[in-house]
PDB file of all heavy atoms in Angstrom:
ATOM      1  N   GLY A   1       0.803  -1.224   0.000  1.00  0.00           N
ATOM      2  CA  GLY A   1       0.000   0.000   0.000  1.00  0.00           C
ATOM      3  C   GLY A   1       0.832   1.268   0.000  1.00  0.00           C
ATOM      4  O   GLY A   1       2.055   1.242   0.147  1.00  0.00           O
ATOM      5  N   ALA A   2       0.142   2.404  -0.163  1.00  0.00           N
ATOM      6  CA  ALA A   2       0.796   3.714  -0.232  1.00  0.00           C
ATOM      7  C   ALA A   2       0.677   4.434   1.105  1.00  0.00           C
ATOM      8  O   ALA A   2      -0.139   4.073   1.957  1.00  0.00           O
ATOM      9  CB  ALA A   2       0.149   4.539  -1.333  1.00  0.00           C
ATOM     10  N   LEU A   3       1.485   5.473   1.293  1.00  0.00           N
ATOM     11  CA  LEU A   3       1.434   6.293   2.504  1.00  0.00           C
ATOM     12  C   LEU A   3       1.462   7.766   2.096  1.00  0.00           C
ATOM     13  O   LEU A   3       2.310   8.173   1.296  1.00  0.00           O
ATOM     14  CB  LEU A   3       2.633   5.993   3.406  1.00  0.00           C
ATOM     15  CG  LEU A   3       2.691   6.723   4.757  1.00  0.00           C
ATOM     16  CD1 LEU A   3       1.567   6.261   5.681  1.00  0.00           C
ATOM     17  CD2 LEU A   3       4.038   6.480   5.455  1.00  0.00           C
ATOM     18  N   ALA A   4       0.540   8.562   2.638  1.00  0.00           N
ATOM     19  CA  ALA A   4       0.505   9.992   2.315  1.00  0.00           C
ATOM     20  C   ALA A   4       0.263  10.796   3.583  1.00  0.00           C
ATOM     21  O   ALA A   4      -0.539  10.408   4.434  1.00  0.00           O
ATOM     22  CB  ALA A   4      -0.608  10.273   1.305  1.00  0.00           C
ATOM     23  N   ASP A   5       0.973  11.922   3.698  1.00  0.00           N
ATOM     24  CA  ASP A   5       0.782  12.839   4.826  1.00  0.00           C
ATOM     25  C   ASP A   5       0.511  14.226   4.251  1.00  0.00           C
ATOM     26  O   ASP A   5       1.395  14.841   3.660  1.00  0.00           O
ATOM     27  CB  ASP A   5       2.032  12.857   5.705  1.00  0.00           C
ATOM     28  CG  ASP A   5       1.865  13.727   6.955  1.00  0.00           C
ATOM     29  OD1 ASP A   5       0.899  14.517   7.009  1.00  0.00           O
ATOM     30  OD2 ASP A   5       2.709  13.633   7.872  1.00  0.00           O
ATOM     31  N   PRO A   6      -0.728  14.739   4.424  1.00  0.00           N
ATOM     32  CA  PRO A   6      -1.076  16.037   3.836  1.00  0.00           C
ATOM     33  C   PRO A   6      -0.505  17.229   4.593  1.00  0.00           C
ATOM     34  O   PRO A   6      -0.585  18.357   4.111  1.00  0.00           O
ATOM     35  CB  PRO A   6      -2.604  16.045   3.904  1.00  0.00           C
ATOM     36  CG  PRO A   6      -2.951  15.109   5.014  1.00  0.00           C
ATOM     37  CD  PRO A   6      -1.882  14.078   5.067  1.00  0.00           C
ATOM     38  N   MET A   7       0.055  17.000   5.796  1.00  0.00           N
ATOM     39  CA  MET A   7       0.667  18.088   6.585  1.00  0.00           C
ATOM     40  C   MET A   7       1.959  17.547   7.171  1.00  0.00           C
ATOM     41  O   MET A   7       2.076  17.358   8.375  1.00  0.00           O
ATOM     42  CB  MET A   7      -0.262  18.503   7.725  1.00  0.00           C
ATOM     43  CG  MET A   7      -1.563  19.108   7.275  1.00  0.00           C
ATOM     44  SD  MET A   7      -2.637  19.403   8.700  1.00  0.00           S
ATOM     45  CE  MET A   7      -4.063  18.474   8.204  1.00  0.00           C
ATOM     46  N   CYS A   8       2.935  17.276   6.309  1.00  0.00           N
ATOM     47  CA  CYS A   8       4.052  16.419   6.721  1.00  0.00           C
ATOM     48  C   CYS A   8       5.122  17.109   7.547  1.00  0.00           C
ATOM     49  O   CYS A   8       6.011  16.445   8.070  1.00  0.00           O
ATOM     50  CB  CYS A   8       4.660  15.736   5.504  1.00  0.00           C
ATOM     51  SG  CYS A   8       5.614  16.834   4.448  1.00  0.00           S
ATOM     52  N   GLY A   9       5.077  18.437   7.683  1.00  0.00           N
ATOM     53  CA  GLY A   9       6.106  19.113   8.481  1.00  0.00           C
ATOM     54  C   GLY A   9       7.488  18.775   7.958  1.00  0.00           C
ATOM     55  O   GLY A   9       7.777  18.942   6.773  1.00  0.00           O
ATOM     56  N   VAL A  10       8.349  18.227   8.839  1.00  0.00           N
ATOM     57  CA  VAL A  10       9.696  17.864   8.386  1.00  0.00           C
ATOM     58  C   VAL A  10       9.819  16.377   8.061  1.00  0.00           C
ATOM     59  O   VAL A  10      10.916  15.839   7.972  1.00  0.00           O
ATOM     60  CB  VAL A  10      10.773  18.283   9.425  1.00  0.00           C
ATOM     61  CG1 VAL A  10      10.874  19.800   9.497  1.00  0.00           C
ATOM     62  CG2 VAL A  10      10.497  17.682  10.790  1.00  0.00           C
ATOM     63  N   GLY A  11       8.663  15.703   7.891  1.00  0.00           N
ATOM     64  CA  GLY A  11       8.666  14.362   7.303  1.00  0.00           C
ATOM     65  C   GLY A  11       8.789  13.175   8.249  1.00  0.00           C
ATOM     66  O   GLY A  11       9.072  12.064   7.798  1.00  0.00           O
ATOM     67  N   THR A  12       8.545  13.388   9.545  1.00  0.00           N
ATOM     68  CA  THR A  12       8.790  12.299  10.511  1.00  0.00           C
ATOM     69  C   THR A  12       7.943  11.057  10.235  1.00  0.00           C
ATOM     70  O   THR A  12       8.460   9.937  10.223  1.00  0.00           O
ATOM     71  CB  THR A  12       8.552  12.802  11.948  1.00  0.00           C
ATOM     72  OG1 THR A  12       9.286  14.015  12.135  1.00  0.00           O
ATOM     73  CG2 THR A  12       9.034  11.790  12.974  1.00  0.00           C
ATOM     74  N   PHE A  13       6.634  11.216  10.019  1.00  0.00           N
ATOM     75  CA  PHE A  13       5.773  10.057   9.735  1.00  0.00           C
ATOM     76  C   PHE A  13       6.268   9.299   8.499  1.00  0.00           C
ATOM     77  O   PHE A  13       6.293   8.077   8.465  1.00  0.00           O
ATOM     78  CB  PHE A  13       4.328  10.501   9.464  1.00  0.00           C
ATOM     79  CG  PHE A  13       3.474  10.650  10.699  1.00  0.00           C
ATOM     80  CD1 PHE A  13       2.601  11.724  10.820  1.00  0.00           C
ATOM     81  CD2 PHE A  13       3.505   9.707  11.720  1.00  0.00           C
ATOM     82  CE1 PHE A  13       1.788  11.867  11.945  1.00  0.00           C
ATOM     83  CE2 PHE A  13       2.698   9.833  12.841  1.00  0.00           C
ATOM     84  CZ  PHE A  13       1.839  10.919  12.956  1.00  0.00           C
ATOM     85  N   LEU A  14       6.632  10.053   7.467  1.00  0.00           N
ATOM     86  CA  LEU A  14       7.036   9.452   6.197  1.00  0.00           C
ATOM     87  C   LEU A  14       8.319   8.640   6.359  1.00  0.00           C
ATOM     88  O   LEU A  14       8.435   7.525   5.844  1.00  0.00           O
ATOM     89  CB  LEU A  14       7.236  10.539   5.138  1.00  0.00           C
ATOM     90  CG  LEU A  14       6.036  11.475   4.923  1.00  0.00           C
ATOM     91  CD1 LEU A  14       6.429  12.637   4.034  1.00  0.00           C
ATOM     92  CD2 LEU A  14       4.854  10.712   4.329  1.00  0.00           C
ATOM     93  N   ILE A  15       9.274   9.218   7.086  1.00  0.00           N
ATOM     94  CA  ILE A  15      10.564   8.541   7.279  1.00  0.00           C
ATOM     95  C   ILE A  15      10.393   7.281   8.124  1.00  0.00           C
ATOM     96  O   ILE A  15      10.899   6.206   7.790  1.00  0.00           O
ATOM     97  CB  ILE A  15      11.601   9.504   7.900  1.00  0.00           C
ATOM     98  CG1 ILE A  15      11.923  10.630   6.903  1.00  0.00           C
ATOM     99  CG2 ILE A  15      12.872   8.756   8.293  1.00  0.00           C
ATOM    100  CD1 ILE A  15      12.727  11.784   7.482  1.00  0.00           C
ATOM    101  N   GLU A  16       9.644   7.405   9.240  1.00  0.00           N
ATOM    102  CA  GLU A  16       9.407   6.234  10.089  1.00  0.00           C
ATOM    103  C   GLU A  16       8.655   5.154   9.310  1.00  0.00           C
ATOM    104  O   GLU A  16       8.952   3.961   9.423  1.00  0.00           O
ATOM    105  CB  GLU A  16       8.623   6.627  11.345  1.00  0.00           C
ATOM    106  CG  GLU A  16       9.400   7.513  12.319  1.00  0.00           C
ATOM    107  CD  GLU A  16      10.616   6.823  12.926  1.00  0.00           C
ATOM    108  OE1 GLU A  16      10.511   5.633  13.300  1.00  0.00           O
ATOM    109  OE2 GLU A  16      11.683   7.459  13.022  1.00  0.00           O
ATOM    110  N   GLY A  17       7.671   5.584   8.502  1.00  0.00           N
ATOM    111  CA  GLY A  17       6.891   4.629   7.707  1.00  0.00           C
ATOM    112  C   GLY A  17       7.741   3.926   6.667  1.00  0.00           C
ATOM    113  O   GLY A  17       7.618   2.709   6.461  1.00  0.00           O
ATOM    114  N   ALA A  18       8.612   4.672   6.008  1.00  0.00           N
ATOM    115  CA  ALA A  18       9.482   4.079   4.982  1.00  0.00           C
ATOM    116  C   ALA A  18      10.479   3.111   5.613  1.00  0.00           C
ATOM    117  O   ALA A  18      10.770   2.046   5.048  1.00  0.00           O
ATOM    118  CB  ALA A  18      10.224   5.177   4.223  1.00  0.00           C
ATOM    119  N   MET A  19      11.013   3.454   6.798  1.00  0.00           N
ATOM    120  CA  MET A  19      11.954   2.550   7.472  1.00  0.00           C
ATOM    121  C   MET A  19      11.280   1.229   7.823  1.00  0.00           C
ATOM    122  O   MET A  19      11.877   0.162   7.702  1.00  0.00           O
ATOM    123  CB  MET A  19      12.548   3.214   8.714  1.00  0.00           C
ATOM    124  CG  MET A  19      13.574   4.279   8.386  1.00  0.00           C
ATOM    125  SD  MET A  19      14.691   4.692   9.741  1.00  0.00           S
ATOM    126  CE  MET A  19      13.592   5.336  10.959  1.00  0.00           C
ATOM    127  N   MET A  20      10.017   1.293   8.268  1.00  0.00           N
ATOM    128  CA  MET A  20       9.284   0.056   8.566  1.00  0.00           C
ATOM    129  C   MET A  20       9.110  -0.780   7.289  1.00  0.00           C
ATOM    130  O   MET A  20       9.364  -1.985   7.281  1.00  0.00           O
ATOM    131  CB  MET A  20       7.889   0.383   9.125  1.00  0.00           C
ATOM    132  CG  MET A  20       7.885   0.909  10.526  1.00  0.00           C
ATOM    133  SD  MET A  20       6.171   1.313  11.002  1.00  0.00           S
ATOM    134  CE  MET A  20       6.477   2.273  12.483  1.00  0.00           C
ATOM    135  N   ALA A  21       8.684  -0.118   6.221  1.00  0.00           N
ATOM    136  CA  ALA A  21       8.387  -0.828   4.969  1.00  0.00           C
ATOM    137  C   ALA A  21       9.645  -1.433   4.349  1.00  0.00           C
ATOM    138  O   ALA A  21       9.597  -2.504   3.745  1.00  0.00           O
ATOM    139  CB  ALA A  21       7.719   0.128   3.985  1.00  0.00           C
ATOM    140  N   ALA A  22      10.787  -0.748   4.510  1.00  0.00           N
ATOM    141  CA  ALA A  22      12.032  -1.208   3.876  1.00  0.00           C
ATOM    142  C   ALA A  22      12.878  -2.075   4.810  1.00  0.00           C
ATOM    143  O   ALA A  22      13.996  -2.456   4.454  1.00  0.00           O
ATOM    144  CB  ALA A  22      12.850   0.000   3.405  1.00  0.00           C
ATOM    145  N   ASP A  23      12.342  -2.377   6.021  1.00  0.00           N
ATOM    146  CA  ASP A  23      13.054  -3.225   6.979  1.00  0.00           C
ATOM    147  C   ASP A  23      14.395  -2.613   7.404  1.00  0.00           C
ATOM    148  O   ASP A  23      15.409  -3.298   7.511  1.00  0.00           O
ATOM    149  CB  ASP A  23      13.271  -4.624   6.385  1.00  0.00           C
ATOM    150  CG  ASP A  23      13.637  -5.667   7.453  1.00  0.00           C
ATOM    151  OD1 ASP A  23      13.250  -5.478   8.624  1.00  0.00           O
ATOM    152  OD2 ASP A  23      14.308  -6.657   7.117  1.00  0.00           O
ATOM    153  N   VAL A  24      14.386  -1.291   7.620  1.00  0.00           N
ATOM    154  CA  VAL A  24      15.587  -0.588   8.074  1.00  0.00           C
ATOM    155  C   VAL A  24      15.507  -0.421   9.594  1.00  0.00           C
ATOM    156  O   VAL A  24      14.518   0.106  10.114  1.00  0.00           O
ATOM    157  CB  VAL A  24      15.697   0.810   7.414  1.00  0.00           C
ATOM    158  CG1 VAL A  24      16.881   1.583   7.985  1.00  0.00           C
ATOM    159  CG2 VAL A  24      15.818   0.668   5.896  1.00  0.00           C
ATOM    160  N   ALA A  25      16.524  -0.885  10.309  1.00  0.00           N
ATOM    161  CA  ALA A  25      16.558  -0.717  11.769  1.00  0.00           C
ATOM    162  C   ALA A  25      16.565   0.773  12.088  1.00  0.00           C
ATOM    163  O   ALA A  25      17.350   1.527  11.504  1.00  0.00           O
ATOM    164  CB  ALA A  25      17.794  -1.387  12.354  1.00  0.00           C
ATOM    165  N   PRO A  26      15.703   1.233  13.019  1.00  0.00           N
ATOM    166  CA  PRO A  26      15.571   2.670  13.250  1.00  0.00           C
ATOM    167  C   PRO A  26      16.847   3.346  13.744  1.00  0.00           C
ATOM    168  O   PRO A  26      17.073   4.517  13.490  1.00  0.00           O
ATOM    169  CB  PRO A  26      14.460   2.768  14.304  1.00  0.00           C
ATOM    170  CG  PRO A  26      14.380   1.409  14.918  1.00  0.00           C
ATOM    171  CD  PRO A  26      14.781   0.447  13.853  1.00  0.00           C
ATOM    172  N   ASN A  27      17.707   2.581  14.428  1.00  0.00           N
ATOM    173  CA  ASN A  27      18.920   3.201  14.963  1.00  0.00           C
ATOM    174  C   ASN A  27      20.194   2.710  14.281  1.00  0.00           C
ATOM    175  O   ASN A  27      21.279   2.761  14.858  1.00  0.00           O
ATOM    176  CB  ASN A  27      18.981   2.988  16.479  1.00  0.00           C
ATOM    177  CG  ASN A  27      18.013   3.927  17.192  1.00  0.00           C
ATOM    178  OD1 ASN A  27      18.132   5.140  17.091  1.00  0.00           O
ATOM    179  ND2 ASN A  27      17.022   3.358  17.859  1.00  0.00           N
ATOM    180  N   LEU A  28      20.038   2.283  13.040  1.00  0.00           N
ATOM    181  CA  LEU A  28      21.172   1.759  12.280  1.00  0.00           C
ATOM    182  C   LEU A  28      22.269   2.801  12.073  1.00  0.00           C
ATOM    183  O   LEU A  28      23.449   2.475  11.990  1.00  0.00           O
ATOM    184  CB  LEU A  28      20.667   1.252  10.920  1.00  0.00           C
ATOM    185  CG  LEU A  28      21.648   0.501  10.033  1.00  0.00           C
ATOM    186  CD1 LEU A  28      22.256  -0.689  10.754  1.00  0.00           C
ATOM    187  CD2 LEU A  28      20.956   0.026   8.755  1.00  0.00           C
ATOM    188  N   ARG A  29      21.894   4.086  12.009  1.00  0.00           N
ATOM    189  CA  ARG A  29      22.876   5.128  11.688  1.00  0.00           C
ATOM    190  C   ARG A  29      23.534   5.733  12.922  1.00  0.00           C
ATOM    191  O   ARG A  29      24.412   6.590  12.808  1.00  0.00           O
ATOM    192  CB  ARG A  29      22.198   6.240  10.870  1.00  0.00           C
ATOM    193  CG  ARG A  29      21.923   5.778   9.466  1.00  0.00           C
ATOM    194  CD  ARG A  29      21.050   6.686   8.658  1.00  0.00           C
ATOM    195  NE  ARG A  29      20.990   6.148   7.291  1.00  0.00           N
ATOM    196  CZ  ARG A  29      21.707   6.610   6.280  1.00  0.00           C
ATOM    197  NH1 ARG A  29      22.517   7.621   6.445  1.00  0.00           N
ATOM    198  NH2 ARG A  29      21.609   6.063   5.087  1.00  0.00           N
ATOM    199  N   ARG A  30      23.115   5.307  14.096  1.00  0.00           N
ATOM    200  CA  ARG A  30      23.691   5.858  15.333  1.00  0.00           C
ATOM    201  C   ARG A  30      25.132   5.364  15.491  1.00  0.00           C
ATOM    202  O   ARG A  30      25.416   4.188  15.326  1.00  0.00           O
ATOM    203  CB  ARG A  30      22.841   5.400  16.518  1.00  0.00           C
ATOM    204  CG  ARG A  30      23.363   5.857  17.856  1.00  0.00           C
ATOM    205  CD  ARG A  30      22.472   5.393  18.985  1.00  0.00           C
ATOM    206  NE  ARG A  30      21.211   6.113  18.980  1.00  0.00           N
ATOM    207  CZ  ARG A  30      20.662   6.650  20.066  1.00  0.00           C
ATOM    208  NH1 ARG A  30      21.259   6.556  21.235  1.00  0.00           N
ATOM    209  NH2 ARG A  30      19.520   7.287  19.997  1.00  0.00           N
ATOM    210  N   GLU A  31      26.025   6.288  15.832  1.00  0.00           N
ATOM    211  CA  GLU A  31      27.441   5.913  15.916  1.00  0.00           C
ATOM    212  C   GLU A  31      27.901   5.657  17.351  1.00  0.00           C
ATOM    213  O   GLU A  31      28.831   4.897  17.578  1.00  0.00           O
ATOM    214  CB  GLU A  31      28.306   7.012  15.282  1.00  0.00           C
ATOM    215  CG  GLU A  31      28.171   7.002  13.763  1.00  0.00           C
ATOM    216  CD  GLU A  31      28.875   8.170  13.105  1.00  0.00           C
ATOM    217  OE1 GLU A  31      29.554   8.936  13.813  1.00  0.00           O
ATOM    218  OE2 GLU A  31      28.728   8.317  11.880  1.00  0.00           O
ATOM    219  N   ARG A  32      27.254   6.308  18.302  1.00  0.00           N
ATOM    220  CA  ARG A  32      27.695   6.112  19.682  1.00  0.00           C
ATOM    221  C   ARG A  32      26.536   5.617  20.543  1.00  0.00           C
ATOM    222  O   ARG A  32      25.416   6.105  20.440  1.00  0.00           O
ATOM    223  CB  ARG A  32      28.257   7.425  20.252  1.00  0.00           C
ATOM    224  CG  ARG A  32      28.875   7.206  21.629  1.00  0.00           C
ATOM    225  CD  ARG A  32      29.673   8.374  22.144  1.00  0.00           C
ATOM    226  NE  ARG A  32      30.090   8.111  23.513  1.00  0.00           N
ATOM    227  CZ  ARG A  32      31.167   7.434  23.852  1.00  0.00           C
ATOM    228  NH1 ARG A  32      31.951   6.956  22.912  1.00  0.00           N
ATOM    229  NH2 ARG A  32      31.479   7.227  25.123  1.00  0.00           N
ATOM    230  N   TRP A  33      26.839   4.652  21.397  1.00  0.00           N
ATOM    231  CA  TRP A  33      25.834   4.031  22.250  1.00  0.00           C
ATOM    232  C   TRP A  33      26.236   4.132  23.714  1.00  0.00           C
ATOM    233  O   TRP A  33      27.392   4.404  24.024  1.00  0.00           O
ATOM    234  CB  TRP A  33      25.699   2.550  21.873  1.00  0.00           C
ATOM    235  CG  TRP A  33      25.175   2.356  20.497  1.00  0.00           C
ATOM    236  CD1 TRP A  33      25.894   2.340  19.337  1.00  0.00           C
ATOM    237  CD2 TRP A  33      23.802   2.200  20.121  1.00  0.00           C
ATOM    238  NE1 TRP A  33      25.049   2.166  18.268  1.00  0.00           N
ATOM    239  CE2 TRP A  33      23.770   2.070  18.721  1.00  0.00           C
ATOM    240  CE3 TRP A  33      22.608   2.136  20.847  1.00  0.00           C
ATOM    241  CZ2 TRP A  33      22.580   1.896  18.020  1.00  0.00           C
ATOM    242  CZ3 TRP A  33      21.428   1.949  20.149  1.00  0.00           C
ATOM    243  CH2 TRP A  33      21.420   1.836  18.755  1.00  0.00           C
ATOM    244  N   GLY A  34      25.304   3.847  24.594  1.00  0.00           N
ATOM    245  CA  GLY A  34      25.606   3.845  26.029  1.00  0.00           C
ATOM    246  C   GLY A  34      26.576   2.740  26.401  1.00  0.00           C
ATOM    247  O   GLY A  34      27.249   2.815  27.428  1.00  0.00           O
ATOM    248  N   PHE A  35      26.654   1.694  25.558  1.00  0.00           N
ATOM    249  CA  PHE A  35      27.564   0.586  25.865  1.00  0.00           C
ATOM    250  C   PHE A  35      28.915   0.714  25.166  1.00  0.00           C
ATOM    251  O   PHE A  35      29.797  -0.124  25.353  1.00  0.00           O
ATOM    252  CB  PHE A  35      26.915  -0.761  25.499  1.00  0.00           C
ATOM    253  CG  PHE A  35      26.432  -0.850  24.078  1.00  0.00           C
ATOM    254  CD1 PHE A  35      27.329  -0.994  23.029  1.00  0.00           C
ATOM    255  CD2 PHE A  35      25.079  -0.783  23.779  1.00  0.00           C
ATOM    256  CE1 PHE A  35      26.883  -1.076  21.713  1.00  0.00           C
ATOM    257  CE2 PHE A  35      24.619  -0.864  22.467  1.00  0.00           C
ATOM    258  CZ  PHE A  35      25.529  -1.013  21.433  1.00  0.00           C
ATOM    259  N   SER A  36      29.102   1.765  24.353  1.00  0.00           N
ATOM    260  CA  SER A  36      30.333   1.885  23.557  1.00  0.00           C
ATOM    261  C   SER A  36      31.592   1.862  24.427  1.00  0.00           C
ATOM    262  O   SER A  36      32.605   1.275  24.048  1.00  0.00           O
ATOM    263  CB  SER A  36      30.313   3.161  22.714  1.00  0.00           C
ATOM    264  OG  SER A  36      29.215   3.143  21.811  1.00  0.00           O
ATOM    265  N   GLY A  37      31.544   2.507  25.609  1.00  0.00           N
ATOM    266  CA  GLY A  37      32.724   2.550  26.473  1.00  0.00           C
ATOM    267  C   GLY A  37      32.594   1.683  27.715  1.00  0.00           C
ATOM    268  O   GLY A  37      33.423   1.749  28.625  1.00  0.00           O
ATOM    269  N   TRP A  38      31.566   0.840  27.750  1.00  0.00           N
ATOM    270  CA  TRP A  38      31.316  -0.036  28.910  1.00  0.00           C
ATOM    271  C   TRP A  38      32.245  -1.249  28.854  1.00  0.00           C
ATOM    272  O   TRP A  38      32.405  -1.860  27.798  1.00  0.00           O
ATOM    273  CB  TRP A  38      29.840  -0.460  28.856  1.00  0.00           C
ATOM    274  CG  TRP A  38      29.412  -1.518  29.827  1.00  0.00           C
ATOM    275  CD1 TRP A  38      29.731  -1.596  31.142  1.00  0.00           C
ATOM    276  CD2 TRP A  38      28.569  -2.652  29.546  1.00  0.00           C
ATOM    277  NE1 TRP A  38      29.136  -2.698  31.708  1.00  0.00           N
ATOM    278  CE2 TRP A  38      28.422  -3.370  30.757  1.00  0.00           C
ATOM    279  CE3 TRP A  38      27.926  -3.125  28.403  1.00  0.00           C
ATOM    280  CZ2 TRP A  38      27.659  -4.534  30.854  1.00  0.00           C
ATOM    281  CZ3 TRP A  38      27.166  -4.277  28.487  1.00  0.00           C
ATOM    282  CH2 TRP A  38      27.031  -4.965  29.701  1.00  0.00           C
ATOM    283  N   LEU A  39      32.858  -1.618  29.968  1.00  0.00           N
ATOM    284  CA  LEU A  39      33.799  -2.735  29.977  1.00  0.00           C
ATOM    285  C   LEU A  39      33.111  -4.084  29.755  1.00  0.00           C
ATOM    286  O   LEU A  39      33.755  -5.060  29.389  1.00  0.00           O
ATOM    287  CB  LEU A  39      34.586  -2.754  31.303  1.00  0.00           C
ATOM    288  CG  LEU A  39      35.504  -1.547  31.560  1.00  0.00           C
ATOM    289  CD1 LEU A  39      36.276  -1.720  32.858  1.00  0.00           C
ATOM    290  CD2 LEU A  39      36.472  -1.326  30.397  1.00  0.00           C
ATOM    291  N   GLY A  40      31.809  -4.148  29.973  1.00  0.00           N
ATOM    292  CA  GLY A  40      31.076  -5.395  29.743  1.00  0.00           C
ATOM    293  C   GLY A  40      30.625  -5.580  28.303  1.00  0.00           C
ATOM    294  O   GLY A  40      30.008  -6.595  27.963  1.00  0.00           O
ATOM    295  N   HIS A  41      30.901  -4.597  27.454  1.00  0.00           N
ATOM    296  CA  HIS A  41      30.485  -4.639  26.048  1.00  0.00           C
ATOM    297  C   HIS A  41      31.115  -5.834  25.328  1.00  0.00           C
ATOM    298  O   HIS A  41      32.288  -6.151  25.544  1.00  0.00           O
ATOM    299  CB  HIS A  41      30.916  -3.324  25.386  1.00  0.00           C
ATOM    300  CG  HIS A  41      30.631  -3.235  23.923  1.00  0.00           C
ATOM    301  ND1 HIS A  41      29.495  -3.760  23.349  1.00  0.00           N
ATOM    302  CD2 HIS A  41      31.355  -2.680  22.899  1.00  0.00           C
ATOM    303  CE1 HIS A  41      29.513  -3.526  22.038  1.00  0.00           C
ATOM    304  NE2 HIS A  41      30.626  -2.879  21.750  1.00  0.00           N
ATOM    305  N   VAL A  42      30.328  -6.513  24.483  1.00  0.00           N
ATOM    306  CA  VAL A  42      30.832  -7.674  23.730  1.00  0.00           C
ATOM    307  C   VAL A  42      30.815  -7.315  22.237  1.00  0.00           C
ATOM    308  O   VAL A  42      29.825  -7.548  21.534  1.00  0.00           O
ATOM    309  CB  VAL A  42      29.949  -8.928  23.985  1.00  0.00           C
ATOM    310  CG1 VAL A  42      30.609 -10.172  23.384  1.00  0.00           C
ATOM    311  CG2 VAL A  42      29.682  -9.117  25.465  1.00  0.00           C
ATOM    312  N   PRO A  43      31.908  -6.729  21.729  1.00  0.00           N
ATOM    313  CA  PRO A  43      31.932  -6.220  20.353  1.00  0.00           C
ATOM    314  C   PRO A  43      31.569  -7.262  19.293  1.00  0.00           C
ATOM    315  O   PRO A  43      30.921  -6.940  18.295  1.00  0.00           O
ATOM    316  CB  PRO A  43      33.375  -5.730  20.174  1.00  0.00           C
ATOM    317  CG  PRO A  43      33.835  -5.420  21.558  1.00  0.00           C
ATOM    318  CD  PRO A  43      33.174  -6.433  22.434  1.00  0.00           C
ATOM    319  N   ALA A  44      31.968  -8.510  19.484  1.00  0.00           N
ATOM    320  CA  ALA A  44      31.713  -9.543  18.462  1.00  0.00           C
ATOM    321  C   ALA A  44      30.204  -9.737  18.249  1.00  0.00           C
ATOM    322  O   ALA A  44      29.740  -9.860  17.110  1.00  0.00           O
ATOM    323  CB  ALA A  44      32.366 -10.860  18.876  1.00  0.00           C
ATOM    324  N   VAL A  45      29.443  -9.758  19.345  1.00  0.00           N
ATOM    325  CA  VAL A  45      27.986  -9.936  19.251  1.00  0.00           C
ATOM    326  C   VAL A  45      27.360  -8.720  18.573  1.00  0.00           C
ATOM    327  O   VAL A  45      26.519  -8.836  17.682  1.00  0.00           O
ATOM    328  CB  VAL A  45      27.372 -10.141  20.658  1.00  0.00           C
ATOM    329  CG1 VAL A  45      25.844 -10.190  20.581  1.00  0.00           C
ATOM    330  CG2 VAL A  45      27.908 -11.419  21.295  1.00  0.00           C
ATOM    331  N   TRP A  46      27.811  -7.531  19.001  1.00  0.00           N
ATOM    332  CA  TRP A  46      27.266  -6.292  18.443  1.00  0.00           C
ATOM    333  C   TRP A  46      27.538  -6.190  16.948  1.00  0.00           C
ATOM    334  O   TRP A  46      26.659  -5.849  16.153  1.00  0.00           O
ATOM    335  CB  TRP A  46      27.845  -5.085  19.190  1.00  0.00           C
ATOM    336  CG  TRP A  46      27.471  -3.770  18.576  1.00  0.00           C
ATOM    337  CD1 TRP A  46      28.292  -2.863  18.001  1.00  0.00           C
ATOM    338  CD2 TRP A  46      26.142  -3.227  18.462  1.00  0.00           C
ATOM    339  NE1 TRP A  46      27.578  -1.779  17.530  1.00  0.00           N
ATOM    340  CE2 TRP A  46      26.263  -1.976  17.804  1.00  0.00           C
ATOM    341  CE3 TRP A  46      24.879  -3.663  18.839  1.00  0.00           C
ATOM    342  CZ2 TRP A  46      25.161  -1.173  17.519  1.00  0.00           C
ATOM    343  CZ3 TRP A  46      23.777  -2.865  18.555  1.00  0.00           C
ATOM    344  CH2 TRP A  46      23.923  -1.623  17.914  1.00  0.00           C
TER     345      TRP A  46
END
């Protein structure tokens, strides 16, 4: 199906909707996490 927003502002609904439809993880582009400097972090799993 299609998605339309008649008052889209800066496009939040559209972007979130497209990420769901395209199977894109919402935080895929984040570079730093709360566990990035944690000593218990397991880089291989991440």
Side-chain angles (χ1 to χ4, degrees):
L3 183 67
D5 184 346
M7 295 174 237
C8 73
V10 292
T12 309
F13 274 139
L14 305 171
I15 294 169
E16 292 296 318
M19 286 200 297
M20 287 177 194
D23 196 26
V24 175
N27 284 299
L28 188 56
R29 287 170 175 260
R30 178 179 289 227
E31 287 173 5
R32 187 169 174 85
W33 295 85
F35 54 74
S36 299
W38 171 44
L39 296 183
H41 177 37
V42 189
V45 174
W46 173 245

